[in-house]
Amino acid sequence: MHQHLRRSGHSRPDPQSLRRARRVLTALIVPVLLAIIIGIVTLYSPKPLGDASQDWSQQGTNRLSGQVTGLDGKKCLIPGLKMPKGAADPTNGMPETQPLVCVKVLEGQWKDKIVPVRVPEESKSAIRVGTAVWMLYDTEAMATGTPFLFTDIKRGNALAIMAVLYVIIVVAVAGRRGFLALLGLLASTLVIVFFMLPALMAGQPPMLVTLAGVGAIMFLSVYLAHGITIRTTTALLGTILGLVVTVLLAYAGTRAAGLTGASDEDALILGTQLPALALPSLFMCGIVVAGLGALNDVTITQASAVWELDEANPQMPRRKLFSRAMRIGRDHIASTVYTLAFAYVGTALPTLILAMLSQRPFLELLTVSQIAEEIVRTLVASIGLVLAIPATTVVGTFLVKFVRASSGSVADLHSSSAKDSRVKEQVEPQTLGGDATTVVRTGGGRHAH
């Protein structure tokens, strides 16, 4: 006797329904991917500086590397150079405020010679014997007692060690998934360095550059780390919706608040060196990129929550599934909003302290350009993140029930066939005493006719 056993609570989608869902997702994702590719090809600017790039490279010809051998620069003064004194000092007292250290030059015409290097007071605490440094050889600085000026500490080895440690820990804990996530991070970095930054430097439309660049980052990071599946594509759709909202809000918020993006010294230098670069556009692009990681995090988690809830109870109605998934989403919203706010506050601590020193009213302090920029960053990224969660939940609920409904239709056909088979088995012709007698099996026993 043939039996068809089926547990309705753990049915799996059939291949036909999965193919149908994949076709729906492909119809939604492929146009977006094509638009991103077209945008990257159109906006790509391989030489944003043009001939000016040669001038920038020439400025680095006088930069030398060295290693600190002593913290008392008076012991290695260059013969023939005198320290300036008094009001006649053309450097306005720089020798008195900036200490000297002894450094062994590792390249150039001064190689292997120990020379005095002028170090800013704020950098002196990080200088020790053996510290590798970058310095600038400038003959116009002879009046300070040395032509060598400290520019920065060489951090390559320390950063390389930390990066290797990071990779080892991620791969050891997360395995293959962690390694793929690192590849996605590397690919995303390449998009920023070789597409977004040159395009912004060349003066390309900032909104289009941001959408194309961040869109490419999303595809690379999501699909490399999590694979190309219906679940990850659901998260990707939610991320795209949140991204569009974030870009529009960043553009509107920057204009409405009158933010110029020129609140710090680095931005002012960029404005003078790169006239084609719009600083408000750079600020807006930074808002979107800064919030992308958290946005991707919540959409992946929310898509997984929808599919897991449906897996646990396939008979759950679509509205109830959405409601339960949003309970999880609300908890995630609360924690992630804190994450964004604290991250921005942490980076703005020096600015906040300086603002507090001015002893201005608290509400007035919030409108200072430096603080207002951080507030706009937090609010815009948080709004995009919050809206991405219900968007991902809606898309995920629709898709999971679409697949389930398609599977259910096929399962109903199998169930009907099984029922007909059982009915045929219940009515069997048997021979009793040479006569053809029909025996009908019922739940209470056998009845002969």
Side-chain angles (χ1 to χ4, degrees):
M1 180 176 174
H2 223 37
Q3 291 183 343
H4 293 266
L5 298 177
R6 180 177 182 269
R7 296 195 311 175
S8 60
H10 298 277
S11 60
R12 292 185 177 182
D14 67 288
Q16 183 179 357
S17 64
L18 291 177
R19 284 195 297 269
R20 192 175 304 169
R22 290 190 185 102
R23 284 197 295 268
V24 172
L25 289 175
T26 301
L28 295 173
I29 288 295
V30 168
V32 177
L33 180 59
L34 291 177
I36 291 173
I37 294 174
I38 293 173
I40 290 177
V41 172
T42 304
L43 301 172
Y44 179 61
S45 304
K47 294 183 178 181
L49 299 179
D51 296 334
S53 60
Q54 185 177 359
D55 298 334
W56 280 80
S57 62
Q58 289 177 352
Q59 292 181 9
T61 56
N62 293 328
R63 192 178 71 159
L64 303 172
S65 63
Q67 187 174 25
V68 177
T69 59
L71 301 182
D72 186 2
K74 295 181 180 180
K75 296 181 179 180
C76 54
L77 292 177
I78 301 175
L81 289 180
K82 296 182 179 180
M83 301 289 288
K85 298 180 180 180
D89 178 9
T91 61
N92 295 322
M94 181 184 295
E96 298 179 5
T97 58
Q98 292 191 348
L100 288 169
V101 297
C102 294
V103 177
K104 180 180 180 181
V105 183
L106 301 179
E107 58 184 325
Q109 62 178 351
W110 293 82
K111 184 177 181 180
D112 295 331
K113 294 183 179 179
I114 298 177
V115 298
V117 177
R118 186 71 59 187
V119 178
E121 187 65 40
E122 60 271 16
S123 301
K124 182 67 181 296
S125 60
I127 301 295
R128 302 177 180 84
V129 175
T131 301
V133 298
W134 289 109
M135 51 191 174
L136 187 67
Y137 178 73
D138 186 4
T139 56
E140 296 181 359
M142 290 290 188
T144 68
T146 175
F148 297 94
L149 303 177
F150 170 87
T151 58
D152 205 352
I153 295 175
K154 294 180 67 175
R155 302 180 177 90
N157 293 336
L159 294 178
I161 293 173
M162 294 180 65
V164 171
L165 181 63
Y166 171 70
V167 170
I168 292 174
I169 292 177
V170 169
V171 174
V173 175
R176 178 176 176 272
R177 182 65 60 86
F179 176 74
L180 293 176
L182 292 173
L183 288 182
L185 177 61
L186 176 61
S188 301
T189 304
L190 295 178
V191 171
I192 294 175
V193 173
F194 292 102
F195 169 68
M196 294 183 68
L197 295 183
L200 290 172
M201 292 168 65
Q204 299 286 8
M207 288 189 67
L208 296 180
V209 171
T210 304
L211 284 172
V214 176
I217 290 174
M218 283 190 316
F219 273 90
L220 291 171
S221 59
V222 171
Y223 281 152
L224 276 176
H226 304 281
I228 303 177
T229 65
I230 296 178
R231 185 178 303 191
T232 54
T233 305
T234 301
L236 186 60
L237 288 173
T239 307
I240 291 173
L241 295 175
L243 172 64
V244 172
V245 171
T246 303
V247 172
L248 294 177
L249 284 176
Y251 180 76
T254 301
R255 293 177 63 88
L259 299 176
T260 62
S263 60
D264 58 7
E265 184 178 354
D266 292 338
L268 293 175
I269 293 175
L270 284 176
T272 57
Q273 298 290 341
L274 300 172
L277 177 63
L279 295 181
S281 304
L282 184 63
F283 171 72
M284 183 200 71
C285 183
I287 293 176
V288 179
V289 173
L292 182 60
L295 184 64
N296 186 25
D297 175 32
V298 297
T299 53
I300 287 290
T301 304
Q302 196 63 16
S304 296
V306 172
W307 285 83
E308 291 298 331
L309 286 172
D310 183 78
E311 185 79 15
N313 185 7
Q315 306 303 323
M316 187 186 304
R318 181 174 297 173
R319 181 174 297 183
K320 189 174 182 180
L321 176 62
F322 175 83
S323 176
R324 290 194 174 182
M326 280 304 299
R327 292 180 189 175
I328 300 173
R330 291 187 187 98
D331 292 337
H332 208 171
I333 286 173
S335 61
T336 310
V337 167
Y338 293 147
T339 301
L340 289 177
F342 292 149
Y344 289 133
V345 169
T347 58
L349 278 180
T351 302
L352 293 174
I353 294 174
L354 286 175
M356 294 296 291
L357 289 175
S358 65
Q359 297 183 352
R360 299 166 66 178
F362 177 73
L363 293 179
E364 186 178 343
L365 283 177
L366 298 181
T367 63
V368 175
S369 60
Q370 295 93 331
I371 298 178
E373 286 183 357
E374 302 302 328
I375 293 175
V376 170
R377 280 193 183 100
T378 304
L379 295 179
V380 169
S382 298
I383 292 174
L385 182 149
V386 169
L387 293 180
I389 287 181
T392 304
T393 307
V394 169
V395 174
T397 303
F398 169 78
L399 286 175
V400 74
K401 290 303 180 183
F402 175 81
V403 173
R404 187 70 62 188
S406 301
S407 301
S409 300
V410 176
D412 289 341
L413 293 176
H414 289 302
S415 179
S416 298
S417 300
K419 184 176 181 181
D420 293 341
S421 177
R422 287 195 298 269
V423 169
K424 289 180 180 179
E425 290 177 354
Q426 288 175 356
V427 182
E428 297 178 355
Q430 294 187 5
T431 303
L432 294 177
D435 296 329
T437 305
T438 302
V439 179
V440 180
R441 296 178 179 175
T442 64
R446 297 189 177 189
H447 300 275
H449 299 281

